[in-house]
Amino acid sequence: MSRVILHSDLNNFFASIECLYKPELKSKAVAVIGDPEARHGIVLAKNELAKKCKVQTGDPVWLARQKCPDLTFIEPHFDLYMKYSGYAKEIYSDYTDKIESFGLDECWLDVSENLWRYGSGKEIADRIRRRMKSELGVSVSVGVSFNKVFAKLGSDLKKPDATTVIESQSFKEIVWPLKVNELLYVGRQTHKKLNRRGIFTIGDLAKANPDNLRYMLGKNGVMLWEFANGLDTSPVSNIGAKSLIKTIGNSTTCPRDLVCDEDVKIVLRILCEKVSQRLREYGFICGTVQLGMRGTDLHWSERQGVLDIPNRTAKSLFDMAFSLYKSNSDGSPLRSLSVRASKLEVSDYIQLSLLPEMEKIEKEEELDSAIDRIRARFGKNAITRGLIMTDNQLSDFEPGSICSLPYSNN
């Protein structure tokens, strides 16, 4: 039996959520941007009115303003986006447990086994679209097809708030005339290489010699040829598989360059506390800590260290991250830092032990959990380390989340 795969894409996600909480913005052109003061001054998302002015994701603020003089800029609220992303998954889970995230705003669903209960793939897609509007106040575009690649392509073809069906018997008529860069994983450089070889449409790619594509693009060339010919067989992951998450991390581009150890300590403390909190939320401990550093020359380097005892305390993460910094930094100013926890193990508690090291970890775990509860009740600034309060400019940021999955796209 042919599979029935849906790809659901929340339309203008960040901007739509902001307009939900600020109804007065619905009649205005809106762009969600990073903080220009903190050197993140680009468009992260935009609504339909901004799109009509040709505002694009990734535009610098000055260019977006030039394209649309009346554009309203909004700072992002990632906690809200995470919450609504979770609400959307709850709706999806009413129709299948095979749900695979592709960023915060997109998911694949394999509904093949539930058609007898809910109707055809199109009927399920239309149900989801209606529920998104009535229950969450946002719209989605849904692609329905026999594989993940064409389901994703379908959700991109009609926006906003539409269902597009691409069937196995007729996909050539719909897909092959499209520009080749509309196919999943055909990025800018691949697009240029294909165009230089006379491959302009997905149909051109499908009819090309796969051996030539392998020579040109390596194994990705053959993969793209298979995609173009409807041969994608990759499965949709089960939402309950915690093993999908490979790493949990947080990062920031600092509002000013970090020029001394104390500067680095402040930023690392905040990042490590956030990673520690998220590990507890997901029920993980970690065995390895990875530190990423970007200098003022924009060169990026990453180092990792193994914890003596896998755990998730903010102190252990910080001690390892700072040790990695001291061992690998030449003292040059830093622009960005990231901290990742990897080698994750599912553990909702840390096993009791008579070892002195384990007792210390248990006490730190209890302290971190108490801090989580206080902040959840009274706000993130209700309890703060003295070190962090020594520089309000460096400490006034919300870490950006890094959650590594087999598929990820922004």
Side-chain angles (χ1 to χ4, degrees):
M1 183 182 75
S2 178
R3 295 187 301 164
V4 178
I5 310 296
L6 276 55
H7 183 271
S8 180
D9 186 353
L10 288 149
N11 301 138
N12 311 318
F13 183 43
F14 293 0
S16 295
I17 300 303
E18 296 297 339
C19 290
L20 271 182
Y21 281 78
K22 302 180 184 72
E24 67 274 12
L25 297 176
K26 289 186 177 180
S27 60
K28 299 179 180 180
V30 173
V32 179
I33 62 166
D35 181 7
E37 301 275 334
R39 299 192 284 191
H40 296 290
I42 62 170
V43 173
L44 304 177
K46 66 282 180 193
N47 67 356
E48 288 297 322
L49 293 175
K51 282 184 180 180
K52 290 179 179 178
C53 297
K54 308 300 182 184
V55 175
Q56 296 181 332
T57 300
D59 279 351
V61 168
W62 65 266
L63 180 58
R65 177 72 77 190
Q66 195 175 81
K67 292 179 177 178
C68 185
D70 296 326
L71 191 60
T72 300
F73 293 117
I74 303 292
E75 291 185 5
H77 296 89
F78 289 104
D79 56 337
L80 284 178
Y81 311 150
M82 290 289 289
K83 181 167 71 172
Y84 273 82
S85 179
Y87 291 159
K89 289 185 178 71
E90 289 179 10
I91 290 177
Y92 301 149
S93 66
D94 284 344
Y95 303 97
T96 180
D97 65 349
K98 293 180 180 178
I99 302 170
E100 183 176 328
S101 295
F102 195 63
L104 274 180
D105 54 346
E106 301 180 43
C107 281
W108 279 291
L109 293 73
D110 186 338
V111 298
S112 308
E113 297 176 2
N114 296 315
L115 300 179
W116 65 273
R117 182 180 300 171
Y118 299 112
S120 68
K122 183 181 185 305
E123 289 172 325
I124 295 174
D126 289 340
R127 284 191 186 200
I128 288 172
R129 289 198 299 113
R130 288 194 295 270
R131 289 187 62 185
M132 287 292 184
K133 283 192 287 186
S134 63
E135 297 177 29
L136 302 186
V138 297
S139 67
V140 295
S141 293
V142 185
V144 183
S145 194
F146 58 98
N147 64 45
K148 289 165 63 177
V149 171
F150 288 169
K152 162 71 174 164
L153 187 61
S155 70
D156 290 335
L157 284 180
K158 294 180 185 177
K159 292 186 176 183
D161 192 22
T163 297
T164 302
V165 180
I166 300 177
E167 296 179 325
S168 57
Q169 306 94 314
S170 57
F171 78 86
K172 294 179 183 179
E173 288 81 358
I174 300 172
V175 173
W176 281 11
L178 300 174
K179 293 180 180 178
V180 70
N181 63 328
E182 295 194 42
L183 190 66
L184 187 63
Y185 300 131
V186 176
R188 185 178 302 173
Q189 294 304 316
T190 300
H191 185 209
K192 289 180 180 178
K193 290 180 181 179
L194 292 171
N195 282 179
R196 284 199 293 267
R197 297 297 182 95
I199 298 174
F200 299 101
T201 68
I202 296 177
D204 293 337
L205 178 62
K207 297 170 187 174
N209 187 320
D211 291 332
N212 293 339
L213 292 171
R214 183 189 295 276
Y215 178 79
M216 188 193 333
L217 302 172
K219 63 182 182 181
N220 287 339
V222 178
M223 178 189 73
L224 294 176
W225 178 85
E226 291 174 345
F227 286 178
N229 281 285
L231 301 176
D232 169 43
T233 59
S234 58
V236 175
S237 302
N238 190 304
I239 193 172
K242 273 192 174 180
S243 59
L244 283 175
I245 300 176
K246 303 301 181 185
T247 68
I248 289 176
N250 284 91
S251 65
T252 187
T253 297
C254 306
R256 66 170 175 80
D257 294 337
L258 309 180
V259 297
C260 63
D261 287 358
E262 293 306 305
D263 288 349
V264 174
K265 284 182 179 179
I266 290 171
V267 176
L268 283 182
R269 275 288 182 189
I270 296 172
L271 293 175
C272 290
E273 286 189 359
K274 191 65 176 179
V275 174
S276 176
Q277 176 192 340
R278 293 178 64 217
L279 285 168
R280 281 187 293 283
E281 290 175 353
Y282 282 101
F284 287 122
I285 58 175
C286 71
T288 300
V289 177
Q290 298 173 343
L291 173 69
M293 299 178 286
R294 190 188 302 279
T296 53
D297 60 353
L298 301 185
H299 174 72
W300 178 262
S301 62
E302 193 166 87
R303 298 291 184 271
Q304 67 179 28
V306 178
L307 297 174
D308 292 335
I309 301 174
N311 71 92
R312 58 191 172 204
T313 68
K315 182 180 186 302
S316 294
L317 299 180
F318 172 82
D319 288 346
M320 178 57 73
F322 189 71
S323 173
L324 291 168
Y325 159 74
K326 291 295 288 182
S327 301
N328 296 282
S329 172
D330 61 2
S332 301
L334 295 176
R335 177 186 175 97
S336 304
L337 287 175
S338 74
V339 176
R340 287 179 186 257
S342 59
K343 298 290 183 182
L344 303 184
E345 301 173 21
V346 177
S347 178
D348 292 326
Y349 63 93
I350 294 178
Q351 184 66 41
L352 294 174
S353 171
L354 297 177
L355 292 173
E357 296 85 354
M358 199 63 232
E359 291 178 351
K360 291 178 182 178
I361 290 174
E362 289 168 4
K363 289 179 180 178
E364 288 292 335
E365 173 76 2
E366 291 172 2
L367 177 61
D368 289 345
S369 297
I371 291 173
D372 288 348
R373 292 192 294 271
I374 292 171
R375 288 175 174 167
R377 185 172 180 182
F378 301 107
K380 68 175 184 177
N381 296 321
I383 184 166
T384 306
R385 293 183 183 271
L387 170 69
I388 293 172
M389 298 177 68
T390 60
D391 192 317
N392 291 332
Q393 183 185 16
L394 277 184
S395 61
D396 187 22
F397 72 92
E398 184 66 24
S401 298
I402 309 169
C403 190
S404 174
L405 302 163
Y407 287 91
S408 60
N409 190 37
N410 200 352

